[in-house]
């Protein structure tokens, strides 16, 4: 339990639903402020709903129609999410890849090696060394950087027609 509002317990699952409902507004906040905002939002919902119940808002025809519509929409969205999740299997993913590769016809997959560096000037300097005959693999081991600034040699398989790139460290 995260909080208790007017006798109603608020749980982590409630915060997750509130975050989904708030959308981008919640995403822009720092973690501590976001949590506080989500709890406040849920508290407002609970208190306003209690007031609406007292005023018998739920007995109105418009409310009942809207509730039926939202219920049906939620049922549809949940069904589609469940069916979609069940359909994403390693075999299904491989089949999509294989089918896409078949449509390429006679196109050739191109393999490229690359050196990751932070600046264009550094890249130009490395290119000049390669043109002078320095071994690419050795330069890659010495100069290539990941975000963690550790050496990395990588290769990529690039398909020009489908426009995707599969990268793998070597």
């Amino acid at each position: 339990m995260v909080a208790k509002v007017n006798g109603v317990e608020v749980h982590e699952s409630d915060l997750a639903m509130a975050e989904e409902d708030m959308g981008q507004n919640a995403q822009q906040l720092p973690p501590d402020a976001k949590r506080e905002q989500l709890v406040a939002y849920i508290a407002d919902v609970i208190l306003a709903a209690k007031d609406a119940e007292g005023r018998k808002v739920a007995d109105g025809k418009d409310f009942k129609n809207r509730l039926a519509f939202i219920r049906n929409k939620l049922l549809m969205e949940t069904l589609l999410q469940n069916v979609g999740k069940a359909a994403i299997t390693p075999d299904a993913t491989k089949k999509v890849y294989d089918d896409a590769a078949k449509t390429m016809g006679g196109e050739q997959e191109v393999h490229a090696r690359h050196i990751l560096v932070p600046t264009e000037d550094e890249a130009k300097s490395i290119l000049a060394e390669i043109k002078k005959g320095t071994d690419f693999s050795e330069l890659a081991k010495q100069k290539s950087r990941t975000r963690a600034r550790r050496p990395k040699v990588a290769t990529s398989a690039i398909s020009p027609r489908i426009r995707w790139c599969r990268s793998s460290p070597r």
Side-chain angles (χ1 to χ4, degrees):
M1 181 175 69
V2 175
K4 201 169 196 174
V5 178
N6 207 24
V8 178
E9 291 183 356
V10 177
H11 300 275
E12 289 292 336
S13 59
D14 298 314
L15 294 182
M17 284 190 284
E19 184 173 2
E20 186 179 316
D21 192 47
M22 288 180 68
Q24 289 295 329
N25 293 334
Q27 298 302 322
Q28 296 172 3
L29 298 170
D32 289 342
K34 177 168 60 171
R35 187 171 180 83
E36 184 178 317
Q37 184 68 32
L38 292 172
V39 170
Y41 177 67
I42 291 170
D44 289 346
V45 169
I46 291 169
L47 294 172
K50 187 72 172 169
D51 186 42
E53 284 176 354
R55 296 172 189 241
K56 304 214 183 285
V57 171
D59 294 341
K61 183 180 177 190
D62 287 342
F63 179 85
K64 289 178 182 179
N65 288 339
R66 182 173 289 275
L67 181 61
F69 176 80
I70 291 171
R71 180 183 182 279
N72 288 337
K73 182 178 176 217
L74 182 59
L75 284 168
M76 177 192 72
E77 289 172 353
T78 304
L79 173 67
L80 292 174
Q81 284 178 355
N82 292 343
V83 168
K85 285 178 187 174
I88 300 174
T89 64
D91 289 341
T93 303
K94 184 175 182 337
K95 183 179 179 339
V96 169
Y97 171 83
D98 290 342
D99 290 347
K102 286 177 192 173
T103 65
M104 291 174 47
E107 288 187 35
Q108 182 180 7
E109 183 175 88
V110 177
H111 290 270
R113 296 183 299 168
H114 56 274
I115 299 174
L116 304 172
V117 292
T119 67
E120 185 176 347
D121 288 340
E122 196 171 343
K124 288 178 179 177
S125 171
I126 292 169
L127 179 60
E129 290 183 53
I130 291 169
K131 287 180 178 180
K132 289 178 189 173
T134 307
D135 182 63
F136 182 93
S137 294
E138 284 304 312
L139 278 173
K141 289 176 187 172
Q142 294 170 10
K143 308 277 186 176
S144 187
R145 306 279 181 187
T146 63
R147 286 186 181 145
R149 306 284 299 161
R150 287 179 286 182
K152 177 182 179 181
V153 179
T155 62
S156 297
I158 304 168
S159 171
R161 186 160 175 215
I162 298 176
R163 296 184 184 193
W164 55 263
C165 176
R166 181 182 71 241
S167 187
S168 61
R170 296 261 165 122

